[in-house]
Amino acid sequence: MELWGGHECTVNRVADRYCDQSRLTGHDDRIEDLHLFADLGVTRLRYPVLWERAGPERPGDYDFGWSDARLAELRRLGIAPIVGLLHHGSGPHFTSLVDPHMPRLFADYAAAVAERYPWVEDWTPVNEPLTTARFAGLYGHWYPHGQDESAFLTALVTQVEATIAAMRAIRKVNPAARLVQTDDLGDTYATAELVHVADHYNHRRWLGFDLLTGRIDESHYLWPALEKSGLADRVRAIVADPCPPDVIGVNHYITSDRFLDHRLDRYPDLVKPAVGFHDFTAARVMDPPPPGLESVLRQAWQRYGIPLAVTESHLGCTREEQMRWLVESWTTCERLAADGVDIRAMTAWALLGNYDWCSLLTVPANHYEGGAFDVRAGAPRPTALTRVLKAFGGDADAQAWLHGHPALGRRGWWRRDVRLEHAPYVWTERQPEMDERAGPPILITGASGTLGQALARACTLRGLDYVLTDRGACAIDDPRSVAAALDLHQPWAVINAAGWVRVDEAEGARDACFRANADGAALMAEACAERGLRYTVFSSDLVFDGAKNDAYVEDDAPRPLNVYGASKAAAEERVLAALPEALVVRTAAFFSPFDAYNFAVWVERELRHGRPVQAAEGFVVTPTFVPDLVHASLDLLIDEEKGIWHLTNQEPVSWFDFGRRVADTLDLDAKLVRPARPSELGWRARRPAFVPLGSRHGQLLPKLEDALARHRARRGAEAA
């Protein structure tokens, strides 16, 4: 099997707004990304020469400067491109997916591209035509925003005609050109009352491939609908001269498998759908979970007997779950290939991540999902996925790393019971699943604190083995206690969430504060260095004095104003001196729905009792939602990042403004939040007046507004 790759390259139209993923991820300006892709060991790269980009204004007027440089570089690097011409798009503004002239215009463009690059052998003229037709013609999400079966079928037939016309034009230039035809494939399941709807969906998913292979006549399940939509003659013309793919590309996501449930009263908290049934991601409600990729690959092979490739494999999730998804996909392909299914490759998709696919590109919210590289800092940062892919590509060191990785002994969340969001629908008997193996744990200190508890909760959710220790089990300022704990539990990593947290009390207890925050952190770093362990420790915005009058980034020099800040600054210096590979996470003003002792919950508690709240005005911080903080910290730990990182929810606010934002979010009386001076708050320690944390690594956490909305949802769930 080959390892293929691709970056998310969609150019999509919603009303009059175009969304260009290559620009959003920055790949548009970084030809050097191709070298990063080559280093992964990919043999072929799905790569865009998209119609909307090269010829946006008028037919026949094309600018190939961008693709000239990049295809030449791919050729020099020895990577074969699979050239895509339309990727979830509707074409330039002068045409659309329901324009009868679109196939001819598209073929003219394809001819121009083929003449420009006659050496290219692999082509995907139109990516996912059926999926695009659903979103643009049936659900109304994308241009031209159709919302009926006729618009859907017309959009699909138009794209199939365009694909056939494009391949004919390409093969006039290069008779050996191959069609690698992609589409999203998944199974639909249902309650007994909705089996007929599931059957319809399961028939419909093959329609694009059935058209290309000429498998449609008047006995086809969807012939009556095609005829009713006035498409019979066009379909007959397609079938008379079909264009079977040389490779069928299966794109499969966790959301590809669906479950339909008519029992609306079973889900009283959900909005009742207009269609009369709920349409769920199958893994979220079915027990056991659906077979997933293996099922659709077998079905595609049995139906068509055409070589297969997984042409998109991506999961927007935490890092170890992304790793598990890729490993499961790769091993599934290997197993089927050994069983006689002709599978040529698996494609690592979204190498640079993607933006706003959680809303199907309909809302420009700047929501980023990482991939093999994280681009939020501008330059792509390799994540742990790069080593997974290198292992697939044959790199011996990466294979050894992957084989022994402690996070991969557990199944992905889609195979664990944590996946279930509702009472499960039992659809068949559970089959024996792969054995899970407990690997070496992450040792977490600070069992009684907010961060320690939050890290343990996150590890449980993510299927990461951990040991949560209190002072009795691991006193971080006692070298014998530290050594005993490390020798007993044999962790692969340590996250130090213990320490002194009382800022004002530290003014009268300098030695105790330094012993907990600086001495203990440094002692643990030394012990981790001796044993070759990864180490993460937390620091604070209070290492700064607030005099910069701008956001602080990681390489700004600490100048603390109080004892607590001085202890954290000392900890940073001593930890990195003892263990340069350590990860030091600076954060600020964290709040959590699970902790009774944080500012946001205190504000809520007081306001619910009708009591006024005093909050400091003029002291600006960047609040941090603890669940976001711990998940990002775990991702960075798995990525084996080091040095100082700033993690906050981005938005600078004063404590007073933060209190009012909390009140507004929870529908409480914000007028009861009142500004106060430090003397009124009993502050003994000096605080910097302006310490927003920025980052040269990019903003890894969502915005504060998003975090507050999730805080509200969780507080509501806790109250219920």
Side-chain angles (χ1 to χ4, degrees):
M1 262 205 332
E2 295 182 8
L3 175 65
W4 296 355
H7 76 283
E8 173 54 64
C9 59
T10 297
V11 175
N12 174 263
R13 182 178 177 184
V14 174
D16 292 325
R17 177 180 61 83
Y18 284 86
C19 172
D20 186 333
Q21 290 284 325
S22 292
R23 290 196 171 97
L24 289 173
T25 62
H27 179 68
D28 192 55
D29 298 318
R30 291 192 311 263
I31 192 171
E32 58 270 22
D33 289 355
L34 301 180
H35 295 253
L36 300 176
F37 301 163
D39 287 343
L40 299 175
V42 300
T43 57
R44 299 177 193 272
L45 191 72
R46 295 186 63 193
Y47 206 72
V49 184
L50 299 185
W51 193 12
E52 290 97 335
R53 287 171 59 97
E57 296 303 327
R58 61 189 64 84
D61 185 5
Y62 309 126
D63 180 357
F64 293 116
W66 186 87
S67 53
D68 282 349
R70 283 149 183 82
L71 291 186
E73 187 65 6
L74 285 177
R75 200 174 188 186
R76 191 187 70 78
L77 291 168
I79 299 176
I82 305 171
V83 169
L85 306 178
L86 198 65
H87 200 102
H88 287 314
S90 52
H93 68 87
F94 51 80
T95 188
S96 80
L97 299 180
V98 295
D99 175 9
H101 301 292
M102 184 270 202
R104 173 183 55 80
L105 296 169
F106 187 64
D108 291 343
Y109 175 66
V113 178
E115 289 165 1
R116 192 84 175 187
Y117 314 111
W119 52 273
V120 171
E121 293 185 346
D122 294 327
W123 299 79
T124 303
V126 180
N127 172 66
E128 292 194 358
L130 188 133
T131 301
T132 302
R134 284 169 51 217
F135 293 155
L138 190 59
Y139 308 146
H141 297 323
W142 301 341
Y143 188 83
H145 302 289
Q147 296 187 52
D148 57 60
E149 187 173 59
S150 178
F152 157 71
L153 291 170
T154 301
L156 176 59
V157 168
T158 300
Q159 290 175 92
V160 171
E161 291 172 331
T163 298
I164 294 172
M167 287 308 299
R168 288 174 182 158
I170 291 166
R171 285 170 173 160
K172 285 182 180 179
V173 178
N174 182 357
R178 301 193 310 164
L179 172 60
V180 181
Q181 184 56 60
T182 63
D183 223 316
D184 183 283
L185 283 177
D187 290 314
T188 300
Y189 305 84
T191 53
E193 287 79 358
L194 291 173
V195 165
H196 64 290
V197 181
D199 286 345
H200 175 71
Y201 290 177
N202 286 326
H203 281 294
R204 188 181 67 189
R205 62 184 163 157
W206 303 113
L207 184 54
F209 292 121
D210 283 355
L211 285 165
L212 284 170
T213 55
R215 293 169 57 96
I216 291 186
D217 57 23
E218 294 183 7
S219 66
H220 192 279
Y221 171 83
L222 284 163
W223 180 262
L226 291 164
E227 193 170 39
K228 181 180 178 181
S229 299
L231 298 167
D233 289 342
R234 292 170 67 177
V235 170
R236 290 190 182 99
I238 291 171
V239 172
D241 191 11
C243 184
D246 296 281
V247 176
I248 286 179
V250 174
N251 300 346
H252 185 80
Y253 293 83
I254 196 67
T255 54
S256 297
D257 291 331
R258 313 301 303 173
F259 178 75
L260 313 180
D261 197 334
H262 72 286
R263 301 166 300 173
L264 302 188
D265 57 348
R266 188 181 177 91
Y267 312 101
D269 295 336
L270 300 182
V271 175
K272 291 186 177 181
V275 293
F277 58 84
H278 286 297
D279 183 342
F280 295 110
T281 296
R284 290 298 192 184
V285 293
M286 291 177 62
D287 190 36
L293 179 62
E294 179 170 353
S295 173
V296 292
L297 286 173
R298 285 192 183 278
Q299 290 177 65
W301 174 244
Q302 292 166 1
R303 188 178 183 94
Y304 300 108
I306 292 173
L308 304 174
V310 175
T311 38
E312 291 182 18
S313 187
H314 170 75
L315 179 68
C317 200
T318 57
R319 190 74 71 236
E320 75 291 336
E321 299 288 21
Q322 291 184 310
M323 295 163 64
R324 292 165 182 159
W325 179 261
L326 287 177
V327 169
E328 182 177 308
S329 298
W330 182 263
T331 55
T332 296
C333 290
E334 286 187 319
R335 184 172 61 254
L336 292 180
D339 200 27
V341 180
D342 189 353
I343 298 181
R344 302 294 174 86
M346 191 195 84
T347 308
W349 188 244
L351 290 174
L352 300 173
N354 63 64
Y355 281 92
D356 293 328
W357 267 102
C358 59
S359 65
L360 296 176
L361 309 180
T362 58
V363 179
N366 203 43
H367 180 93
Y368 179 74
E369 293 178 5
F373 300 93
D374 188 312
V375 301
R376 284 173 286 190
R381 175 181 68 84
T383 70
L385 298 184
T386 61
R387 296 178 76 177
V388 175
L389 299 179
K390 287 180 180 180
F392 296 164
D395 183 292
D397 290 340
Q399 288 173 341
W401 171 87
L402 182 64
H403 179 72
H405 199 285
L408 295 179
R410 300 296 185 187
R411 298 189 297 268
W413 68 258
W414 56 97
R415 302 289 179 201
R416 306 196 308 271
D417 288 346
V418 70
R419 73 185 187 279
L420 296 168
E421 293 183 333
H422 308 285
Y425 178 84
V426 179
W427 65 288
T428 188
E429 292 185 5
R430 275 186 178 266
Q431 300 297 315
E433 298 194 46
M434 61 175 276
D435 291 334
E436 289 196 314
R437 53 178 173 84
I442 300 170
L443 188 145
I444 304 169
T445 67
S448 62
T450 296
L451 278 181
Q453 291 289 329
L455 284 160
R457 189 180 299 111
C459 286
T460 299
L461 180 67
R462 296 168 64 150
L464 293 170
D465 294 298
Y466 71 93
V467 174
L468 180 60
T469 63
D470 59 14
R471 182 168 179 80
C474 181
I476 62 172
D477 57 353
D478 180 346
R480 289 176 298 180
S481 178
V482 167
L486 297 182
D487 292 342
L488 172 64
H489 298 294
Q490 294 290 304
W492 67 273
V494 174
I495 304 179
N496 182 14
W500 187 286
V501 297
R502 302 179 300 279
V503 175
D504 289 305
E505 290 183 25
E507 294 299 300
R510 180 183 179 87
D511 290 346
C513 179
F514 265 74
R515 187 164 56 250
N517 286 351
D519 298 345
L523 192 155
M524 183 65 81
E526 293 165 1
C528 288
E530 291 172 0
R531 292 164 174 79
L533 306 180
R534 308 300 305 182
Y535 181 48
T536 299
V537 67
F538 293 91
S539 188
S540 167
D541 59 346
L542 293 180
V543 301
F544 298 117
D545 62 5
K548 184 180 178 183
N549 293 320
D550 198 358
Y552 285 91
V553 294
E554 287 83 355
D555 46 11
D556 284 325
R559 292 187 178 86
L561 298 178
N562 56 46
V563 169
Y564 175 84
S567 73
K568 287 296 187 179
E572 294 177 3
E573 182 178 1
R574 292 174 61 184
V575 163
L576 292 174
L579 181 59
E581 293 78 21
L583 173 66
V584 177
V585 175
R586 284 193 193 128
T587 187
F590 55 69
F591 64 103
S592 167
F594 304 106
D595 173 24
Y597 304 103
N598 69 80
F599 180 78
V601 172
W602 172 70
V603 168
E604 176 189 356
R605 184 170 57 247
E606 295 301 296
L607 296 188
R608 289 199 186 282
H609 286 89
R611 296 191 289 260
V613 168
Q614 289 187 313
E617 186 177 32
F619 287 80
V620 174
V621 294
T622 35
T624 308
F625 192 46
V626 171
D628 290 343
L629 171 66
V630 298
H631 281 302
S633 298
L634 286 167
D635 282 352
L636 292 175
L637 173 65
I638 292 171
D639 288 343
E640 299 185 359
E641 289 295 348
K642 60 185 180 181
I644 298 174
W645 289 66
H646 288 180
L647 296 181
T648 72
N649 289 101
Q650 306 185 31
E651 186 177 343
V653 293
S654 71
W655 285 103
F656 169 66
D657 291 332
F658 183 30
R660 290 208 157 188
R661 291 280 292 276
V662 170
D664 287 337
T665 297
L666 297 173
D667 295 325
L668 300 172
D669 187 359
K671 294 178 182 177
L672 288 176
V673 180
R674 297 168 183 172
R677 295 185 298 274
S679 59
E680 297 175 280
L681 298 171
W683 285 358
R684 295 174 57 191
R686 292 178 62 200
R687 263 74 160 185
F690 191 78
V691 281
L693 295 182
S695 178
R696 57 182 174 82
H697 298 298
Q699 294 288 1
L700 302 192
L701 273 55
K703 293 182 178 179
L704 179 59
E705 180 180 8
D706 179 271
L708 283 170
R710 286 178 287 120
H711 178 78
R712 171 190 172 124
R714 175 54 62 180
R715 292 299 293 172
E718 292 289 307

